[in-house]
Amino acid sequence: MIKNEKIRASEVHLTGIHGEDLGVISTVEALSMAKKLKVDLICTSLFSSPPPCRLMKAGTAKEEVQKAKPKSGKQEQNAKVKEIRLTPQIEDHDYDTKKNQAHKLLQTGKAVLLVVRIQGKEGPKAKELLERLLKDVVDVGSKQTGIQLSGKQAMVQVNPL
């Protein structure tokens, strides 16, 4: 947020305190208007010429910036995908542990990416393992994509219900 004397442009497109358009005026004139009204001159964007500026209280501008930040943070949290890695030669106990991890993650609302590392001709075995795991977590999640076999891994994404 650039305000007052830090604005380097010679002219600005000014918007008043109540949102009225005051047109294009010199920066010096806009700063003197801001001082008369006891408010700040705040530049809203640097990507246009002349840059659009507003007359507003400094506290109001900071509040607008803070209101915008929490919204973006919440959106990022919802998009999290946790990856669980397995191998085709997994033991029963290890399989149960991975299944329980996937179960817990899906119950908390996170998507899970199940990845099986493949070496050689283990493709069919890996696909079988993923199908078995999908059947075990069907009560808390549904697959977003089909099982994808690509090179050295097989994977499927499971979204919470």
Side-chain angles (χ1 to χ4, degrees), residues 57-125:
K57 295 178 185 172
T60 310
K62 286 181 182 177
E63 285 176 18
E64 286 182 12
V65 171
Q66 286 177 345
K67 283 181 183 177
K69 283 184 182 177
K71 290 180 184 176
S72 64
K74 287 179 185 174
Q75 291 170 351
E76 290 174 20
Q77 287 177 347
N78 292 342
K80 282 196 175 175
V81 177
K82 295 289 188 173
E83 184 175 310
I84 296 179
R85 294 182 181 174
L86 309 123
T87 59
Q89 309 87 325
I90 194 166
E91 298 289 328
D92 290 336
H93 177 266
D94 295 332
Y95 173 82
D96 292 336
T97 304
K98 296 292 185 178
K99 179 182 72 171
N100 291 338
Q101 280 180 344
H103 222 270
K104 285 179 186 174
L105 288 169
L106 290 167
Q107 284 177 334
T108 59
K110 292 187 174 99
V112 177
L113 185 67
L114 302 169
V115 179
V116 179
R117 299 288 172 175
I118 302 171
Q119 294 176 348
K121 297 183 179 182
E122 295 174 335
K125 197 172 181 181

Side-chain angles (χ1 to χ4, degrees), residues 3-4 6 17 19 25 45 69 74 83 85 91-92 95 116 123 135 137 139-140 148:
K3 62 182 183 178
N4 296 335
K6 292 183 181 175
I17 296 174
I25 58 174
S45 173
K69 283 184 182 177
K74 287 179 185 174
E83 184 175 310
R85 294 182 181 174
E91 298 289 328
D92 290 336
Y95 173 82
V116 179
K135 286 178 189 173
V137 296
D139 57 328
V140 289
Q148 300 167 345

Side-chain angles (χ1 to χ4, degrees), residues 4-18:
N4 296 335
E5 287 78 21
K6 292 183 181 175
I7 299 171
R8 297 282 180 208
S10 58
E11 290 183 332
V12 295
H13 186 250
L14 191 62
T15 305
I17 296 174
H18 303 294

Side-chain angles (χ1 to χ4, degrees), residues 47-63:
F47 298 110
S48 60
S49 181
C53 293
R54 292 176 59 187
L55 292 174
M56 61 181 358
K57 295 178 185 172
T60 310
K62 286 181 182 177
E63 285 176 18

